[in-house]
Amino acid sequence: MQNPFQSDRIHVNDLLKHMPDGMFTHDTNLIITYANPTFCQLLGYEAEELIGTCITEHLHDLSILESCMSNVREHGHCNDQETIFKRKDGSLVHIAKNVRALYDERGQVYTTVVSIRDMTRLHELNRELLESKRQLQHHTDDLKGLVENRTRELTYRLFYDPLTRLPNRSKLIHDTETIEKPYALLLLNIDRFREINSFYGNDMGDELLDSVAELLSALSQQMDDAVVYKLPVDEYAVLITNPPEIEEIEAFAAHLIEQISQSSFRIQDHDMSLNATAGIACSHDITDYRQSVLLRAGMALQLAKKRRQDYIIYDPSLHIKKDYEKNIQWVKRLRNAIEEDRIVPYYQPILNTKTLKIDKYEALVRIIEDDGSVITPYHFLGISKKVKLYYHITKIMIDKVFETLKMHPDVACSINLSIEDIHDQTMYAYILEKVQTCSNAGQIIFEILESEGIENYDIVNMFITEVKKYGVKIALDDFGAGYSNFAYITKLDIDYIKIDGSIIRDIDQNPTSKIILDTILDFAAKLNIETVAEFVSSEQIYDYLKTLPIDAMQGYYLGEPSASMTD
């Protein structure tokens, strides 16, 4: 019968031989007394080569051994300690080990059992992970640097003008929103810069703006807590925190404007002189709405330009805001009038001086209010051009006059056209289509406003040639006013000259006006152009004009504008 103890021993040996983890034992002198196949394979030795050797021969770091044996002596074990062994070929293997002491019947350690697991791959993975982490951190730092640089670049673009390198309007608004002190704001505009830029070109214009920025930056150092900003196009701003008395700010503004006007700016071998206009506004206290200060300074600047003053300090008594509000109200009224079809022509009769009959009318635009009141173009025509509603007004007038003339085939009617209408390609095309498709083009007279000045004769002449093909007549309106030029008469194929009221209104009393009128009449007669005297407002003027070779007259004395024509 087999000894059970021998059977158990065989079983244990088999377990040790085939277990996946390495195991070895050593005595109290650290001499290896047993090594299972896994441990031998891990270190690259045969069992006979390991048994009898000291464990220290196979360790990479002896300090770890001392730490482990200290725990074994004190507690009888050492668990989960990482250790580095040396293989037979000299390479290193990382292992995790559990060490336990075995005691005899006297309680003395007689051997130590060490089980180990190969952690080399795990260690390599950890090392790769650490390297990946290091690389990731490196890339993160690079990306962070790129983001920070890009953020600084975008912030600079957002808050600084690329040409002058001065802080811009966005930075001004940002600064005024975060400032915790009262401040003054000075807006400064370079007069006629658009003309300079158009004449000399963008490159020289940019150099000029940069030179002005340098001058303002230097001059602003004379005022404590003053910062210069570059606003769009030809404007600058100076923000003054903790501002001094208003008199000192006023003197500072006057000094800036004076220095600009006295400076000669040398740009690409050209000496340029400039003038500037300024608007000034102050915050009432640190709770003042910031953008309103910028708005008030802008209002003051616009009023200064309108009044041709060097600068204006905003004051509620100037009623600038009310003017802006009034403009806004007029825009709304004008839009409503267009949408509600309350833009209408009023017809003023034109007397034929030979037949003494009304054979022509001039269509004058009016707005009919909800209460029936009639609004003249003095109140809205200029605003309509600024807010791009003028096109709609001209189109409405053309449509309604053409329709009215169908019911009055024996009279003609003139419609006012601005140079802007003729230059507008859409309006140009619309008018041509209208005269081409209507049956009464011979009743139409287009009055071109001479007072606006004619710069492009080619476009105007082309327009005149096109519409006259269909029987349309052309009148030159307001002749003798504004940009009066006899060259217009010779360069344009016109049928009528309408003599401006500035000449007619005192013709019976003013010798100079008589001389001018005689000259115009003589010139027109030689060119076979008919003449119409406007602004015939009294019997005295009418009687005097009857003695002259004038073809037609128009004015309140002869007939006021009305909503309908009378044959």
Side-chain angles (χ1 to χ4, degrees), residues 474-538:
I474 300 295
L476 193 60
D477 195 18
D478 295 337
F479 192 82
Y483 296 86
S484 226
N485 191 333
F486 281 91
Y488 292 163
I489 302 176
T490 61
K491 291 183 178 182
L492 302 175
D493 182 15
I494 60 175
D495 302 288
Y496 305 99
I497 291 174
K498 300 194 74 173
I499 303 165
D500 188 67
S502 63
I503 297 172
I504 303 300
R505 67 165 50 97
D506 61 351
I507 192 66
D508 57 328
Q509 300 174 1
N510 190 328
T512 303
S513 295
K514 292 179 180 180
I515 294 171
I516 295 173
L517 179 58
D518 288 341
T519 304
I520 294 173
L521 294 175
D522 182 61
F523 192 71
K526 291 178 179 178
L527 293 175
N528 199 30
I529 297 173
E530 294 187 30
T531 54
V532 181
E534 296 184 297
F535 211 91
V536 180
S537 57
S538 68

Side-chain angles (χ1 to χ4, degrees), residues 58-114:
H58 309 288
L59 292 176
H60 178 66
D61 187 352
L62 297 181
S63 63
I64 297 176
L65 174 64
E66 179 57 35
S67 171
C68 178
M69 297 312 297
S70 175
N71 283 332
V72 170
R73 287 190 294 270
E74 186 173 351
H75 304 291
H77 61 82
C78 175
N79 295 331
D80 298 322
Q81 187 185 52
E82 290 192 14
T83 301
I84 302 175
F85 276 80
K86 293 184 293 187
R87 289 191 176 98
K88 183 177 180 180
D89 61 7
S91 61
L92 302 179
V93 57
H94 294 259
I95 61 97
K97 68 177 186 293
N98 290 306
V99 180
R100 179 164 295 276
L102 300 181
Y103 300 89
D104 57 19
E105 62 274 7
R106 294 173 298 172
Q108 299 294 318
V109 175
Y110 71 91
T111 191
T112 301
V113 179
V114 182

